[in-house]
Amino acid sequence: AIGLSQVLQSRNEGLLILPGTHSKQMTFQGKFFLDITTYMTGELFDLLSTKSILAGCLQKEKWSIEQTPFFKRGLDLGSSKSAFANLFKLRVDYLSRAEAINENYFALSGLLIAQELITLRDYEHPIFIAAKEPIVEMYKIALRYLFPKKEIIAIPVHDFENAIFSGHKQILQMLV
């Protein structure tokens, strides 16, 4: 996050999302990070897709734009008030339609990402997203689908990949 601070300074205020095993959402104002919330989105996805009753109802797939309808279905399931009850719908779909095994991987992903992002419903400032492909694309789709009027800014992959080096450099300069 520190390594991305130069990119974030293009706006005075906003939110930075760093997806991953433990996705982080950090609000910032000027040069300062004010708050951080961590979500276990990636870890829950791994547990549910490999160790739960849902593991047999989905098949790992490589992301492609053709997966978007299944991902959006998951976003719909995850943004409802009964999101966790909707997890079982993935199993029911598989039991009633064998081809759902090819859809459920990204439906589960969408459901969990929606649960993470739905907390931003009332957030009014720009939202920055920084991750590698395909995660950044999935989060952009999710944010734009759930919040079509919000300003979503994807940080260029080059800036994201250099952020660790840049952040370490900034910290070292502060200490010397």
Side-chain angles (χ1 to χ4, degrees):
I2 292 170
L4 293 170
S5 60
Q6 296 289 12
V7 175
L8 299 175
Q9 285 181 5
S10 68
R11 301 301 171 98
N12 186 43
E13 196 169 352
L15 177 96
L16 172 64
I17 300 175
L18 298 169
T21 304
H22 301 115
S23 183
K24 290 134 193 88
Q25 294 182 7
M26 304 171 70
T27 57
F28 66 89
Q29 190 169 31
K31 296 180 181 180
F32 301 101
F33 289 101
L34 306 175
D35 187 35
I36 182 171
T37 304
T38 304
Y39 297 84
M40 294 176 53
T41 309
E43 185 171 348
L44 284 172
F45 179 82
D46 182 61
L47 289 169
L48 290 170
S49 66
T50 61
K51 308 232 184 308
S52 76
I53 194 169
L54 296 177
C57 303
L58 51 86
Q59 180 175 314
K60 186 174 182 174
E61 298 282 337
K62 186 174 174 108
W63 173 258
S64 69
I65 201 70
E66 290 81 28
Q67 303 294 346
T68 303
F70 312 128
F71 182 67
K72 285 182 176 178
R73 178 174 176 267
L75 293 172
D76 288 335
L77 293 172
S79 61
S80 74
K81 290 182 181 178
S82 57
F84 289 118
N86 286 337
L87 279 171
F88 203 75
K89 285 186 178 183
L90 301 177
R91 178 158 173 76
V92 171
D93 283 354
Y94 167 71
L95 294 173
S96 62
R97 295 182 310 111
E99 64 272 11
I101 196 168
N102 299 318
E103 303 167 5
N104 281 346
Y105 188 76
F106 288 104
L108 175 61
S109 182
L111 188 151
L112 294 173
I113 289 172
Q115 273 294 286
E116 172 189 336
L117 297 178
I118 206 69
T119 60
L120 301 175
R121 181 178 284 131
D122 297 324
Y123 190 75
E124 297 178 1
H125 301 287
I127 299 173
F128 291 79
I129 180 81
K132 291 183 179 182
E133 292 293 346
I135 300 299
V136 71
E137 184 63 26
M138 294 168 71
Y139 269 75
K140 284 189 319 188
I141 289 169
L143 286 162
R144 289 179 178 142
Y145 184 73
L146 295 171
F147 313 116
K149 295 183 180 181
K150 291 193 185 298
E151 183 178 10
I152 311 300
I153 302 161
I155 293 177
V157 174
H158 179 267
D159 291 336
F160 174 69
E161 289 176 342
N162 290 325
I164 292 176
F165 173 73
S166 177
H168 285 129
K169 184 177 174 183
Q170 289 178 48
I171 292 169
L172 181 62
Q173 288 171 343
M174 289 171 33
L175 297 174
V176 176

Short mmCIF file of all heavy atoms in Angstrom, two decimals, residues 50-109:
data_model
loop_
_atom_site.label_atom_id
_atom_site.label_comp_id
_atom_site.label_asym_id
_atom_site.label_seq_id
_atom_site.Cartn_x
_atom_site.Cartn_y
_atom_site.Cartn_z
N THR A 50 -12.36 -26.69 -1.91
CA THR A 50 -11.53 -27.90 -1.82
C THR A 50 -11.89 -28.82 -0.66
O THR A 50 -11.61 -30.01 -0.72
CB THR A 50 -10.03 -27.55 -1.70
OG1 THR A 50 -9.81 -26.79 -0.50
CG2 THR A 50 -9.54 -26.78 -2.91
N LYS A 51 -12.51 -28.28 0.39
CA LYS A 51 -12.70 -29.09 1.60
C LYS A 51 -14.14 -29.19 2.07
O LYS A 51 -14.42 -29.86 3.06
CB LYS A 51 -11.85 -28.52 2.73
CG LYS A 51 -10.39 -28.32 2.38
CD LYS A 51 -9.48 -28.94 3.36
CE LYS A 51 -8.02 -28.71 3.14
NZ LYS A 51 -7.47 -28.99 1.87
N SER A 52 -15.06 -28.54 1.41
CA SER A 52 -16.45 -28.57 1.87
C SER A 52 -17.29 -29.47 0.97
O SER A 52 -16.80 -30.03 -0.02
CB SER A 52 -17.05 -27.14 1.86
OG SER A 52 -17.36 -26.75 0.54
N ILE A 53 -18.55 -29.57 1.28
CA ILE A 53 -19.49 -30.35 0.47
C ILE A 53 -19.58 -29.79 -0.95
O ILE A 53 -19.93 -30.49 -1.89
CB ILE A 53 -20.88 -30.39 1.15
CG1 ILE A 53 -21.75 -31.46 0.51
CG2 ILE A 53 -21.54 -29.02 1.11
CD1 ILE A 53 -23.02 -31.75 1.27
N LEU A 54 -19.21 -28.51 -1.12
CA LEU A 54 -19.25 -27.89 -2.45
C LEU A 54 -18.10 -28.35 -3.34
O LEU A 54 -18.19 -28.20 -4.57
CB LEU A 54 -19.21 -26.36 -2.32
CG LEU A 54 -20.39 -25.72 -1.62
CD1 LEU A 54 -20.18 -24.22 -1.51
CD2 LEU A 54 -21.68 -26.03 -2.36
N ALA A 55 -17.05 -28.91 -2.77
CA ALA A 55 -15.87 -29.29 -3.56
C ALA A 55 -16.23 -30.23 -4.71
O ALA A 55 -15.69 -30.11 -5.81
CB ALA A 55 -14.81 -29.92 -2.67
N GLY A 56 -17.15 -31.14 -4.48
CA GLY A 56 -17.55 -32.07 -5.53
C GLY A 56 -18.54 -31.50 -6.52
O GLY A 56 -18.89 -32.15 -7.50
N CYS A 57 -18.98 -30.26 -6.27
CA CYS A 57 -20.00 -29.63 -7.12
C CYS A 57 -19.42 -28.58 -8.05
O CYS A 57 -20.16 -27.89 -8.73
CB CYS A 57 -21.05 -28.96 -6.23
SG CYS A 57 -21.84 -30.06 -5.07
N LEU A 58 -18.10 -28.47 -8.05
CA LEU A 58 -17.48 -27.49 -8.93
C LEU A 58 -16.17 -28.04 -9.45
O LEU A 58 -15.58 -28.94 -8.88
CB LEU A 58 -17.30 -26.13 -8.25
CG LEU A 58 -16.63 -26.09 -6.88
CD1 LEU A 58 -15.13 -26.01 -7.01
CD2 LEU A 58 -17.15 -24.89 -6.13
N GLN A 59 -15.77 -27.48 -10.54
CA GLN A 59 -14.53 -27.90 -11.19
C GLN A 59 -13.70 -26.65 -11.44
O GLN A 59 -14.21 -25.66 -11.98
CB GLN A 59 -14.87 -28.58 -12.51
CG GLN A 59 -13.68 -29.05 -13.29
CD GLN A 59 -14.14 -29.81 -14.52
OE1 GLN A 59 -15.02 -30.66 -14.44
NE2 GLN A 59 -13.55 -29.49 -15.66
N LYS A 60 -12.43 -26.71 -11.04
CA LYS A 60 -11.56 -25.55 -11.23
C LYS A 60 -11.48 -25.22 -12.71
O LYS A 60 -11.28 -26.10 -13.54
CB LYS A 60 -10.17 -25.83 -10.67
CG LYS A 60 -9.27 -24.64 -10.72
CD LYS A 60 -7.96 -24.90 -10.01
CE LYS A 60 -7.11 -23.64 -10.06
NZ LYS A 60 -5.90 -23.78 -9.29
N GLU A 61 -11.66 -23.95 -13.01
CA GLU A 61 -11.65 -23.48 -14.39
C GLU A 61 -10.70 -22.30 -14.50
O GLU A 61 -10.49 -21.57 -13.54
CB GLU A 61 -13.06 -23.01 -14.81
CG GLU A 61 -14.12 -24.08 -14.79
CD GLU A 61 -14.08 -25.01 -15.98
OE1 GLU A 61 -13.54 -24.60 -17.03
OE2 GLU A 61 -14.58 -26.12 -15.86
N LYS A 62 -10.16 -22.10 -15.67
CA LYS A 62 -9.33 -20.92 -15.94
C LYS A 62 -10.27 -19.77 -16.31
O LYS A 62 -11.23 -19.97 -17.04
CB LYS A 62 -8.37 -21.22 -17.08
CG LYS A 62 -7.37 -20.12 -17.33
CD LYS A 62 -6.35 -20.57 -18.37
CE LYS A 62 -5.46 -19.42 -18.72
NZ LYS A 62 -4.13 -19.55 -18.21
N TRP A 63 -9.97 -18.56 -15.79
CA TRP A 63 -10.82 -17.42 -16.07
C TRP A 63 -10.77 -17.05 -17.54
O TRP A 63 -9.72 -17.01 -18.16
CB TRP A 63 -10.38 -16.21 -15.24
CG TRP A 63 -11.13 -14.96 -15.61
CD1 TRP A 63 -10.68 -13.94 -16.38
CD2 TRP A 63 -12.48 -14.65 -15.28
NE1 TRP A 63 -11.66 -12.99 -16.52
CE2 TRP A 63 -12.78 -13.40 -15.87
CE3 TRP A 63 -13.47 -15.29 -14.55
CZ2 TRP A 63 -14.02 -12.79 -15.73
CZ3 TRP A 63 -14.70 -14.68 -14.41
CH2 TRP A 63 -14.97 -13.44 -14.99
N SER A 64 -11.94 -16.78 -18.07
CA SER A 64 -12.08 -16.19 -19.40
C SER A 64 -13.35 -15.35 -19.37
O SER A 64 -14.20 -15.52 -18.49
CB SER A 64 -12.16 -17.26 -20.48
OG SER A 64 -13.37 -17.97 -20.38
N ILE A 65 -13.48 -14.48 -20.33
CA ILE A 65 -14.64 -13.60 -20.37
C ILE A 65 -15.95 -14.40 -20.48
O ILE A 65 -17.00 -13.95 -20.04
CB ILE A 65 -14.50 -12.56 -21.51
CG1 ILE A 65 -15.41 -11.35 -21.25
CG2 ILE A 65 -14.75 -13.17 -22.86
CD1 ILE A 65 -14.98 -10.49 -20.10
N GLU A 66 -15.87 -15.62 -21.01
CA GLU A 66 -17.06 -16.47 -21.11
C GLU A 66 -17.59 -16.90 -19.74
O GLU A 66 -18.72 -17.34 -19.63
CB GLU A 66 -16.77 -17.72 -21.96
CG GLU A 66 -16.57 -17.43 -23.44
CD GLU A 66 -15.16 -16.93 -23.77
OE1 GLU A 66 -14.20 -17.26 -23.04
OE2 GLU A 66 -15.03 -16.16 -24.75
N GLN A 67 -16.76 -16.76 -18.72
CA GLN A 67 -17.17 -17.14 -17.35
C GLN A 67 -18.00 -16.03 -16.68
O GLN A 67 -18.58 -16.25 -15.63
CB GLN A 67 -15.93 -17.43 -16.50
CG GLN A 67 -15.02 -18.50 -17.05
CD GLN A 67 -15.65 -19.87 -17.07
OE1 GLN A 67 -16.68 -20.11 -16.45
NE2 GLN A 67 -15.05 -20.79 -17.79
N THR A 68 -18.05 -14.85 -17.29
CA THR A 68 -18.70 -13.70 -16.67
C THR A 68 -20.15 -13.95 -16.24
O THR A 68 -20.52 -13.56 -15.12
CB THR A 68 -18.61 -12.46 -17.59
OG1 THR A 68 -17.24 -12.21 -17.88
CG2 THR A 68 -19.22 -11.23 -16.95
N PRO A 69 -21.00 -14.59 -17.05
CA PRO A 69 -22.38 -14.81 -16.59
C PRO A 69 -22.46 -15.64 -15.30
O PRO A 69 -23.30 -15.37 -14.45
CB PRO A 69 -23.05 -15.54 -17.75
CG PRO A 69 -22.20 -15.23 -18.94
CD PRO A 69 -20.81 -15.05 -18.43
N PHE A 70 -21.59 -16.63 -15.17
CA PHE A 70 -21.59 -17.48 -13.96
C PHE A 70 -21.09 -16.68 -12.76
O PHE A 70 -21.62 -16.78 -11.66
CB PHE A 70 -20.74 -18.73 -14.18
CG PHE A 70 -21.05 -19.42 -15.48
CD1 PHE A 70 -20.03 -19.74 -16.35
CD2 PHE A 70 -22.35 -19.74 -15.85
CE1 PHE A 70 -20.28 -20.36 -17.56
CE2 PHE A 70 -22.62 -20.36 -17.06
CZ PHE A 70 -21.58 -20.67 -17.91
N PHE A 71 -20.07 -15.86 -13.00
CA PHE A 71 -19.52 -14.99 -11.97
C PHE A 71 -20.59 -13.99 -11.51
O PHE A 71 -20.78 -13.78 -10.31
CB PHE A 71 -18.29 -14.28 -12.52
CG PHE A 71 -17.60 -13.38 -11.54
CD1 PHE A 71 -16.96 -13.90 -10.43
CD2 PHE A 71 -17.56 -12.01 -11.74
CE1 PHE A 71 -16.29 -13.07 -9.53
CE2 PHE A 71 -16.91 -11.17 -10.86
CZ PHE A 71 -16.27 -11.70 -9.75
N LYS A 72 -21.31 -13.39 -12.45
CA LYS A 72 -22.37 -12.43 -12.10
C LYS A 72 -23.51 -13.11 -11.36
O LYS A 72 -24.13 -12.51 -10.48
CB LYS A 72 -22.88 -11.72 -13.35
CG LYS A 72 -21.91 -10.67 -13.86
CD LYS A 72 -22.46 -9.93 -15.07
CE LYS A 72 -21.53 -8.82 -15.52
NZ LYS A 72 -22.04 -8.13 -16.71
N ARG A 73 -23.80 -14.35 -11.70
CA ARG A 73 -24.81 -15.09 -10.94
C ARG A 73 -24.38 -15.19 -9.48
O ARG A 73 -25.15 -14.99 -8.56
CB ARG A 73 -25.03 -16.48 -11.52
CG ARG A 73 -26.04 -17.28 -10.73
CD ARG A 73 -26.37 -18.62 -11.39
NE ARG A 73 -27.26 -19.35 -10.53
CZ ARG A 73 -26.86 -20.23 -9.61
NH1 ARG A 73 -25.59 -20.49 -9.45
NH2 ARG A 73 -27.74 -20.85 -8.85
N GLY A 74 -23.09 -15.48 -9.27
CA GLY A 74 -22.55 -15.52 -7.92
C GLY A 74 -22.63 -14.16 -7.23
O GLY A 74 -22.92 -14.08 -6.04
N LEU A 75 -22.39 -13.10 -7.98
CA LEU A 75 -22.50 -11.76 -7.41
C LEU A 75 -23.93 -11.50 -6.94
O LEU A 75 -24.15 -10.93 -5.87
CB LEU A 75 -22.09 -10.70 -8.44
CG LEU A 75 -20.62 -10.68 -8.85
CD1 LEU A 75 -20.41 -9.71 -10.01
CD2 LEU A 75 -19.72 -10.32 -7.68
N ASP A 76 -24.90 -11.93 -7.73
CA ASP A 76 -26.31 -11.78 -7.33
C ASP A 76 -26.59 -12.58 -6.06
O ASP A 76 -27.24 -12.08 -5.14
CB ASP A 76 -27.24 -12.24 -8.45
CG ASP A 76 -27.27 -11.29 -9.63
OD1 ASP A 76 -26.98 -10.08 -9.45
OD2 ASP A 76 -27.56 -11.75 -10.75
N LEU A 77 -26.11 -13.82 -6.02
CA LEU A 77 -26.33 -14.66 -4.84
C LEU A 77 -25.65 -14.06 -3.61
O LEU A 77 -26.19 -14.07 -2.51
CB LEU A 77 -25.80 -16.08 -5.09
CG LEU A 77 -26.54 -16.92 -6.12
CD1 LEU A 77 -25.78 -18.22 -6.39
CD2 LEU A 77 -27.96 -17.21 -5.68
N GLY A 78 -24.44 -13.54 -3.79
CA GLY A 78 -23.67 -13.01 -2.67
C GLY A 78 -24.13 -11.66 -2.17
O GLY A 78 -23.85 -11.29 -1.04
N SER A 79 -24.82 -10.91 -3.01
CA SER A 79 -25.25 -9.58 -2.59
C SER A 79 -26.66 -9.59 -1.98
O SER A 79 -27.17 -8.55 -1.58
CB SER A 79 -25.19 -8.60 -3.76
OG SER A 79 -26.03 -9.00 -4.80
N SER A 80 -27.26 -10.76 -1.91
CA SER A 80 -28.60 -10.85 -1.31
C SER A 80 -28.46 -11.00 0.21
O SER A 80 -27.40 -11.30 0.73
CB SER A 80 -29.37 -12.03 -1.88
OG SER A 80 -28.87 -13.24 -1.34
N LYS A 81 -29.57 -10.81 0.89
CA LYS A 81 -29.56 -10.92 2.35
C LYS A 81 -29.32 -12.34 2.84
O LYS A 81 -28.93 -12.55 3.97
CB LYS A 81 -30.86 -10.38 2.92
CG LYS A 81 -30.98 -8.88 2.77
CD LYS A 81 -32.24 -8.35 3.37
CE LYS A 81 -32.30 -6.85 3.16
NZ LYS A 81 -33.51 -6.25 3.66
N SER A 82 -29.56 -13.31 1.99
CA SER A 82 -29.37 -14.70 2.40
C SER A 82 -28.17 -15.32 1.68
O SER A 82 -28.23 -16.46 1.23
CB SER A 82 -30.64 -15.50 2.14
OG SER A 82 -30.99 -15.41 0.77
N ALA A 83 -27.08 -14.58 1.61
CA ALA A 83 -25.91 -15.01 0.84
C ALA A 83 -25.40 -16.37 1.30
O ALA A 83 -25.11 -17.24 0.46
CB ALA A 83 -24.80 -13.97 0.94
N PHE A 84 -25.28 -16.59 2.59
CA PHE A 84 -24.72 -17.85 3.04
C PHE A 84 -25.68 -19.01 2.81
O PHE A 84 -25.26 -20.13 2.55
CB PHE A 84 -24.24 -17.76 4.48
CG PHE A 84 -23.00 -16.92 4.59
CD1 PHE A 84 -23.00 -15.77 5.34
CD2 PHE A 84 -21.84 -17.27 3.92
CE1 PHE A 84 -21.87 -14.97 5.42
CE2 PHE A 84 -20.70 -16.48 3.99
CZ PHE A 84 -20.71 -15.33 4.75
N ALA A 85 -26.97 -18.75 2.86
CA ALA A 85 -27.93 -19.78 2.50
C ALA A 85 -27.82 -20.10 1.01
O ALA A 85 -28.05 -21.23 0.59
CB ALA A 85 -29.35 -19.33 2.85
N ASN A 86 -27.45 -19.09 0.23
CA ASN A 86 -27.31 -19.29 -1.21
C ASN A 86 -26.12 -20.16 -1.59
O ASN A 86 -26.06 -20.66 -2.71
CB ASN A 86 -27.20 -17.94 -1.93
CG ASN A 86 -28.53 -17.23 -1.99
OD1 ASN A 86 -29.59 -17.86 -1.89
ND2 ASN A 86 -28.49 -15.93 -2.12
N LEU A 87 -25.19 -20.34 -0.69
CA LEU A 87 -24.08 -21.26 -0.97
C LEU A 87 -24.62 -22.65 -1.34
O LEU A 87 -24.11 -23.30 -2.24
CB LEU A 87 -23.17 -21.39 0.25
CG LEU A 87 -22.15 -20.29 0.47
CD1 LEU A 87 -21.49 -20.44 1.83
CD2 LEU A 87 -21.12 -20.30 -0.64
N PHE A 88 -25.65 -23.07 -0.63
CA PHE A 88 -26.18 -24.41 -0.89
C PHE A 88 -26.85 -24.51 -2.26
O PHE A 88 -26.97 -25.60 -2.83
CB PHE A 88 -27.14 -24.83 0.22
CG PHE A 88 -27.28 -26.32 0.32
CD1 PHE A 88 -26.27 -27.08 0.89
CD2 PHE A 88 -28.39 -26.97 -0.18
CE1 PHE A 88 -26.37 -28.46 0.97
CE2 PHE A 88 -28.51 -28.35 -0.10
CZ PHE A 88 -27.49 -29.10 0.48
N LYS A 89 -27.27 -23.37 -2.82
CA LYS A 89 -27.87 -23.38 -4.16
C LYS A 89 -26.89 -23.91 -5.20
O LYS A 89 -27.30 -24.51 -6.19
CB LYS A 89 -28.35 -21.99 -4.56
CG LYS A 89 -29.61 -21.57 -3.86
CD LYS A 89 -30.12 -20.26 -4.39
CE LYS A 89 -31.42 -19.92 -3.68
NZ LYS A 89 -32.02 -18.71 -4.18
N LEU A 90 -25.61 -23.71 -4.96
CA LEU A 90 -24.60 -24.24 -5.89
C LEU A 90 -24.64 -25.77 -5.90
O LEU A 90 -24.53 -26.40 -6.95
CB LEU A 90 -23.21 -23.74 -5.52
CG LEU A 90 -23.03 -22.22 -5.52
CD1 LEU A 90 -21.62 -21.86 -5.07
CD2 LEU A 90 -23.35 -21.62 -6.87
N ARG A 91 -24.82 -26.35 -4.74
CA ARG A 91 -24.93 -27.82 -4.66
C ARG A 91 -26.22 -28.30 -5.32
O ARG A 91 -26.22 -29.26 -6.07
CB ARG A 91 -24.87 -28.28 -3.21
CG ARG A 91 -25.02 -29.80 -3.08
CD ARG A 91 -24.45 -30.29 -1.78
NE ARG A 91 -24.74 -31.69 -1.57
CZ ARG A 91 -24.11 -32.69 -2.17
NH1 ARG A 91 -23.18 -32.45 -3.06
NH2 ARG A 91 -24.43 -33.94 -1.90
N VAL A 92 -27.33 -27.61 -5.04
CA VAL A 92 -28.62 -27.99 -5.63
C VAL A 92 -28.55 -27.89 -7.15
O VAL A 92 -29.03 -28.79 -7.86
CB VAL A 92 -29.76 -27.10 -5.07
CG1 VAL A 92 -31.05 -27.33 -5.83
CG2 VAL A 92 -29.94 -27.36 -3.58
N ASP A 93 -27.91 -26.83 -7.66
CA ASP A 93 -27.76 -26.69 -9.11
C ASP A 93 -27.00 -27.87 -9.70
O ASP A 93 -27.36 -28.40 -10.75
CB ASP A 93 -27.02 -25.39 -9.47
CG ASP A 93 -27.90 -24.17 -9.35
OD1 ASP A 93 -29.11 -24.34 -9.10
OD2 ASP A 93 -27.37 -23.07 -9.50
N TYR A 94 -25.94 -28.27 -9.02
CA TYR A 94 -25.14 -29.39 -9.50
C TYR A 94 -25.97 -30.70 -9.49
O TYR A 94 -25.91 -31.48 -10.44
CB TYR A 94 -23.88 -29.56 -8.64
CG TYR A 94 -23.18 -30.86 -8.89
CD1 TYR A 94 -22.48 -31.08 -10.08
CD2 TYR A 94 -23.21 -31.88 -7.94
CE1 TYR A 94 -21.84 -32.28 -10.31
CE2 TYR A 94 -22.57 -33.08 -8.17
CZ TYR A 94 -21.89 -33.28 -9.36
OH TYR A 94 -21.25 -34.47 -9.59
N LEU A 95 -26.73 -30.90 -8.43
CA LEU A 95 -27.52 -32.13 -8.34
C LEU A 95 -28.64 -32.17 -9.38
O LEU A 95 -29.04 -33.24 -9.82
CB LEU A 95 -28.10 -32.28 -6.92
CG LEU A 95 -27.06 -32.51 -5.82
CD1 LEU A 95 -27.73 -32.47 -4.45
CD2 LEU A 95 -26.29 -33.80 -6.04
N SER A 96 -29.13 -31.01 -9.78
CA SER A 96 -30.21 -30.98 -10.76
C SER A 96 -29.71 -30.80 -12.20
O SER A 96 -30.41 -31.13 -13.14
CB SER A 96 -31.21 -29.86 -10.43
OG SER A 96 -30.58 -28.61 -10.47
N ARG A 97 -28.48 -30.27 -12.36
CA ARG A 97 -27.90 -30.07 -13.69
C ARG A 97 -26.41 -30.37 -13.62
O ARG A 97 -25.64 -29.58 -13.09
CB ARG A 97 -28.06 -28.61 -14.15
CG ARG A 97 -29.43 -28.11 -14.38
CD ARG A 97 -29.44 -26.65 -14.90
NE ARG A 97 -28.62 -25.73 -14.13
CZ ARG A 97 -27.49 -25.16 -14.58
NH1 ARG A 97 -27.03 -25.41 -15.76
NH2 ARG A 97 -26.82 -24.32 -13.82
N ALA A 98 -26.00 -31.47 -14.13
CA ALA A 98 -24.60 -31.88 -14.05
C ALA A 98 -23.65 -30.84 -14.66
O ALA A 98 -22.52 -30.68 -14.19
CB ALA A 98 -24.40 -33.22 -14.73
N GLU A 99 -24.11 -30.11 -15.67
CA GLU A 99 -23.23 -29.11 -16.31
C GLU A 99 -22.93 -27.93 -15.39
O GLU A 99 -22.03 -27.14 -15.66
CB GLU A 99 -23.80 -28.62 -17.65
CG GLU A 99 -25.11 -27.87 -17.56
CD GLU A 99 -26.34 -28.76 -17.63
OE1 GLU A 99 -26.21 -29.99 -17.55
OE2 GLU A 99 -27.44 -28.21 -17.76
N ALA A 100 -23.66 -27.80 -14.28
CA ALA A 100 -23.40 -26.72 -13.33
C ALA A 100 -22.00 -26.85 -12.73
O ALA A 100 -21.45 -25.87 -12.23
CB ALA A 100 -24.46 -26.69 -12.23
N ILE A 101 -21.42 -28.04 -12.79
CA ILE A 101 -20.07 -28.22 -12.27
C ILE A 101 -19.08 -27.28 -12.95
O ILE A 101 -18.12 -26.82 -12.35
CB ILE A 101 -19.61 -29.70 -12.39
CG1 ILE A 101 -18.40 -29.94 -11.51
CG2 ILE A 101 -19.33 -30.07 -13.85
CD1 ILE A 101 -18.05 -31.41 -11.33
N ASN A 102 -19.34 -26.93 -14.21
CA ASN A 102 -18.47 -26.02 -14.95
C ASN A 102 -18.79 -24.56 -14.67
O ASN A 102 -18.02 -23.68 -15.05
CB ASN A 102 -18.60 -26.27 -16.46
CG ASN A 102 -18.19 -27.67 -16.81
OD1 ASN A 102 -17.19 -28.18 -16.31
ND2 ASN A 102 -18.96 -28.32 -17.67
N GLU A 103 -19.90 -24.27 -14.04
CA GLU A 103 -20.33 -22.90 -13.75
C GLU A 103 -20.07 -22.49 -12.31
O GLU A 103 -19.86 -21.32 -12.01
CB GLU A 103 -21.84 -22.78 -14.03
CG GLU A 103 -22.23 -23.14 -15.43
CD GLU A 103 -23.74 -23.31 -15.62
OE1 GLU A 103 -24.50 -23.04 -14.65
OE2 GLU A 103 -24.15 -23.72 -16.72
N ASN A 104 -20.09 -23.47 -11.42
CA ASN A 104 -20.07 -23.18 -9.99
C ASN A 104 -18.77 -22.60 -9.46
O ASN A 104 -18.77 -21.91 -8.45
CB ASN A 104 -20.43 -24.44 -9.20
CG ASN A 104 -21.91 -24.71 -9.20
OD1 ASN A 104 -22.71 -23.85 -9.57
ND2 ASN A 104 -22.30 -25.91 -8.80
N TYR A 105 -17.66 -22.89 -10.12
CA TYR A 105 -16.37 -22.38 -9.64
C TYR A 105 -16.40 -20.85 -9.59
O TYR A 105 -16.04 -20.24 -8.59
CB TYR A 105 -15.25 -22.89 -10.55
CG TYR A 105 -13.86 -22.60 -10.07
CD1 TYR A 105 -13.30 -23.34 -9.02
CD2 TYR A 105 -13.08 -21.61 -10.65
CE1 TYR A 105 -12.01 -23.09 -8.58
CE2 TYR A 105 -11.79 -21.35 -10.22
CZ TYR A 105 -11.26 -22.09 -9.19
OH TYR A 105 -9.98 -21.85 -8.76
N PHE A 106 -16.86 -20.23 -10.67
CA PHE A 106 -16.91 -18.77 -10.71
C PHE A 106 -18.15 -18.21 -10.04
O PHE A 106 -18.14 -17.06 -9.58
CB PHE A 106 -16.71 -18.25 -12.13
CG PHE A 106 -15.29 -18.44 -12.56
CD1 PHE A 106 -14.94 -19.45 -13.43
CD2 PHE A 106 -14.29 -17.65 -12.03
CE1 PHE A 106 -13.62 -19.66 -13.78
CE2 PHE A 106 -12.95 -17.85 -12.38
CZ PHE A 106 -12.62 -18.85 -13.26
N ALA A 107 -19.19 -18.99 -9.93
CA ALA A 107 -20.36 -18.55 -9.15
C ALA A 107 -19.97 -18.45 -7.67
O ALA A 107 -20.33 -17.47 -6.99
CB ALA A 107 -21.52 -19.51 -9.34
N LEU A 108 -19.21 -19.42 -7.17
CA LEU A 108 -18.73 -19.37 -5.79
C LEU A 108 -17.82 -18.16 -5.59
O LEU A 108 -17.94 -17.43 -4.60
CB LEU A 108 -18.00 -20.66 -5.42
CG LEU A 108 -17.34 -20.68 -4.04
CD1 LEU A 108 -18.39 -20.52 -2.93
CD2 LEU A 108 -16.54 -21.97 -3.85
N SER A 109 -16.93 -17.93 -6.53
CA SER A 109 -16.04 -16.78 -6.45
C SER A 109 -16.84 -15.48 -6.39
O SER A 109 -16.59 -14.61 -5.55
CB SER A 109 -15.09 -16.77 -7.65
OG SER A 109 -14.21 -15.69 -7.57
#
